[in-house]
Amino acid sequence: MLYNFSCMAAADQPVFICTIFHVDMDAFFVSVEELFDPSLKGKAVVVGGQRHERGVVSAASYEARKFGVHSAMPLRTAAKMCPQAIFVDGHPERYRECSEQVYRVLGTFSPQIEMASIDEAYLDMTGTERLHGPPLKAAHTLHQRMKAETRLNCSVGIGTSRLIAKVSSAQAKPNGVLWIVPGEEAKFLAPLDVREIPGVGKVMEKHLHELGIQKVGDLAKLDEGELEDRFGKWGLALAGKARGEDAGGWFDTEVGADLAAKSISHEHTYNEDTADIAQLEATLMRLSEMVGRRLREANFHARTIQLKLRYKDFTTITRAHTLPNPTQLDTEIFEQIRSLFRKNWQKGAPIRLLGVHASSFTSQADQIDLLDGSRQQRWKDALAAADRLRDKFGESSVGLAAGMRGSFRERTHENPVALPGKKKKSNHP
DNA sequence: TCTGGGGTCCTAGGACCC
DNA sequence: TCTGGGGTCCTAGGACCC
């Protein structure tokens, strides 16, 4: 076997080569369901709901895939394509639990792990050779230990970048290991469809096809400048990806860097469209409570509250409002959501989906800073206002002390200090 | 085919400020 | 009375991922 870890770049600069693993569980949801009901093994199984329900396939067994069933396909379509399939409801708690087991196994191989989703992870294995041996050996050990500890199959892709690791794990499926030797990246990618590049979806694929680009190799031949002109920042990143580089965006970040949540949301699709305002507002209340609970669990306060509304014909709008003070209270979230809803719902039009979304987070610690910040901002604003008045009307027109007193009074009026024990007694003599 | 639910990131335009 | 350039914040929508 050829190991090629001491490449030299031009000007004799040593190049440090990363070894990244991408570990992807095979048909994860289906495999977990099989652990709970072994009779499902070897059969066409669809996870995500019952055959007549509104909804899509979350995961399909390899047997079901033979009939063309794949994830994100409407359940009713899957039922037509594969009538003999067994339809199973999803169990998110089971998947979370198994995902934690997977994480624990991975933790014995590298301290730098990043769960990219519930069923896949990146490991930075750079410099672990003394402990785990060369990449292929480490991967096989990992593969075996994963099976032994979780009874689940996974596939492992190994490469010098996250991108290469990710693409190679997909090629290794099912239940395989694939190592792309350093230096062979472009050769590996060239024959693959452009769609295999993470980030290239339906739309981008169509654009590229219109340019006569089918394979990653075609893409790599294209001029970088041309791609940038046509697709902007994304085009430039794409040129790098065609060479196997983690160009731009999330791929360019260190494995295991702390990824704090940026938003929390819940939504609900009705089994039948409804225009019943009582039902709609009850749903919004429930969704607001779910979002509020998760904010409190994570100790986040959100400033931006967003409503999502989908009509019968699938037209979807979002309407957001940003609060002056962040919140994690159900009542405040619901108040905003209800007002957005009443302002934007075309009365009487049947609704298919409602959603509540919270973002622009500040943590508890930031809260204190924010208060300080807003106090500072008041000073700044007052001073800036005074300056503008002076510019306009001359030096003697503004007294600084008066401005600050006004601002102070306003503040204390807005947020009166509650004295413990006094308020209730005075209300109930 | 008749389209879930949870996310991330990017773009573009308008408001507002300096 | 025709008009800048940059920065930041906010909103809306869309592509993409699992």
Side-chain angles (χ1 to χ4, degrees):
Chain A
M1 206 166 296
L2 182 80
Y3 295 116
N4 188 16
F5 277 84
S6 51
C7 294
M8 302 295 273
D12 289 344
Q13 290 288 331
V15 172
F16 293 98
I17 295 184
C18 292
T19 306
I20 309 293
F21 280 22
H22 182 251
V23 180
D24 203 323
M25 307 306 293
D26 295 341
F28 184 60
F29 294 176
V30 174
S31 307
V32 174
E33 294 302 333
E34 284 173 0
L35 293 181
F36 285 83
D37 179 2
S39 77
L40 295 173
K41 274 189 185 170
K43 295 184 183 152
V45 177
V46 171
V47 178
Q50 297 308 306
R51 61 181 69 233
H52 298 301
E53 277 177 353
R54 240 182 201 181
V56 297
V57 176
S58 289
S61 68
Y62 286 98
E63 289 75 14
R65 290 183 204 184
K66 287 177 194 160
F67 293 84
V69 177
H70 57 82
S71 52
M73 171 183 279
L75 290 168
R76 291 169 197 187
T77 311
K80 278 177 196 157
M81 296 182 84
C82 187
Q84 73 275 32
I86 301 169
F87 286 75
V88 181
D89 288 339
H91 298 91
E93 342 75 53
R94 295 179 180 175
Y95 311 144
R96 263 196 297 276
E97 198 178 303
C98 287
S99 183
E100 281 163 22
Q101 285 183 40
V102 167
Y103 183 80
R104 283 196 288 273
V105 173
L106 298 178
T108 64
F109 285 86
S110 169
Q112 273 173 285
I113 319 167
E114 188 174 315
M115 293 300 293
S117 72
I118 198 157
D119 71 337
E120 61 177 316
Y122 292 90
L123 274 73
D124 191 337
M125 294 291 285
T126 310
T128 65
E129 278 196 63
R130 291 229 336 232
L131 203 56
H132 299 295
L136 271 183
K137 181 166 184 288
H140 281 121
T141 310
L142 189 158
H143 194 258
Q144 281 172 345
R145 203 181 295 171
M146 185 65 77
K147 182 71 176 182
E149 310 259 321
T150 69
R151 296 144 69 209
L152 295 167
N153 288 338
C154 66
S155 297
V156 185
I158 310 166
T160 53
S161 63
R162 296 165 85 118
L163 179 94
I164 292 293
K166 166 98 181 155
V167 175
S168 60
S169 76
Q171 299 298 309
K173 279 186 175 303
N175 204 21
V177 173
L178 181 60
W179 179 38
I180 306 306
V181 177
E184 302 293 298
E185 290 83 4
K187 206 189 284 177
F188 161 65
L189 291 174
L192 302 178
D193 287 330
V194 285
R195 189 62 201 271
E196 300 283 338
I197 295 183
V200 175
K202 256 188 176 157
V203 175
M204 193 61 178
E205 183 188 33
K206 188 160 175 273
H207 285 147
L208 292 172
H209 282 178
E210 281 163 8
L211 294 175
I213 299 164
Q214 310 281 337
K215 305 290 179 188
V216 182
D218 305 333
L219 196 57
K221 274 181 241 158
L222 240 67
D223 181 56
E224 212 174 70
E226 194 184 327
L227 278 171
E228 190 178 8
D229 289 346
R230 213 174 277 267
F231 302 114
K233 206 171 146 185
W234 225 105
L236 196 60
L238 204 53
K241 284 167 194 276
R243 296 188 297 264
E245 297 162 9
D246 286 337
W250 170 84
F251 269 89
D252 230 340
T253 58
E254 192 190 337
V255 172
D258 193 31
L259 299 169
K262 303 240 163 87
S263 70
I264 288 174
S265 67
H266 285 282
E267 55 186 65
H268 176 73
T269 297
Y270 294 103
N271 274 322
E272 281 175 45
D273 305 334
T274 178
D276 176 355
I277 187 151
Q279 190 185 6
L280 292 166
E281 293 199 352
T283 302
L284 291 175
M285 179 79 230
R286 187 171 56 86
L287 294 170
S288 300
E289 286 167 356
M290 290 164 75
V291 169
R293 184 164 46 78
R294 287 191 50 208
L295 286 170
R296 291 189 295 279
E297 277 168 12
N299 205 3
F300 286 152
H301 294 248
R303 284 191 60 226
T304 304
I305 304 297
Q306 186 182 266
L307 168 77
K308 181 164 161 184
L309 203 158
R310 174 127 78 211
Y311 291 106
K312 194 171 61 177
D313 68 355
F314 225 75
T315 55
T316 307
I317 62 162
T318 59
R319 292 293 179 268
H321 179 70
T322 296
L323 301 159
N325 299 111
T327 187
Q328 53 175 193
L329 298 178
D330 305 351
T331 50
E332 290 183 5
I333 297 166
F334 180 59
E335 194 187 328
Q336 296 308 318
I337 283 292
R338 189 177 52 184
S339 120
L340 286 167
F341 177 70
R342 289 183 176 175
K343 262 184 255 172
N344 292 286
W345 176 43
Q346 299 172 35
K347 264 220 174 93
I351 284 182
R352 179 188 176 92
L353 170 148
L354 288 174
V356 173
H357 182 105
S359 57
S360 305
F361 295 151
T362 55
S363 71
Q364 202 80 59
D366 292 341
Q367 281 285 289
I368 294 150
D369 290 348
L370 196 91
L371 280 179
D372 280 340
S374 83
R375 218 169 278 147
Q376 281 168 20
Q377 196 57 48
R378 279 168 188 276
W379 276 91
K380 269 195 198 162
D381 290 350
L383 290 169
D387 284 341
R388 281 197 297 278
L389 286 174
R390 280 200 199 90
D391 285 344
K392 225 170 179 175
F393 300 114
E395 206 61 37
S396 62
S397 63
V398 167
L400 188 59
M404 293 326 293
R405 218 169 28 241
S407 136
F408 179 69
R409 199 181 296 129
E410 185 191 18
R411 232 201 115 59
T412 49
H413 177 69
E414 276 171 8
N415 303 311
V417 177
L419 298 176
K422 274 203 167 171
K423 214 163 90 184
K424 277 194 177 163
K425 275 179 192 159
S426 65
N427 283 346
H428 305 279

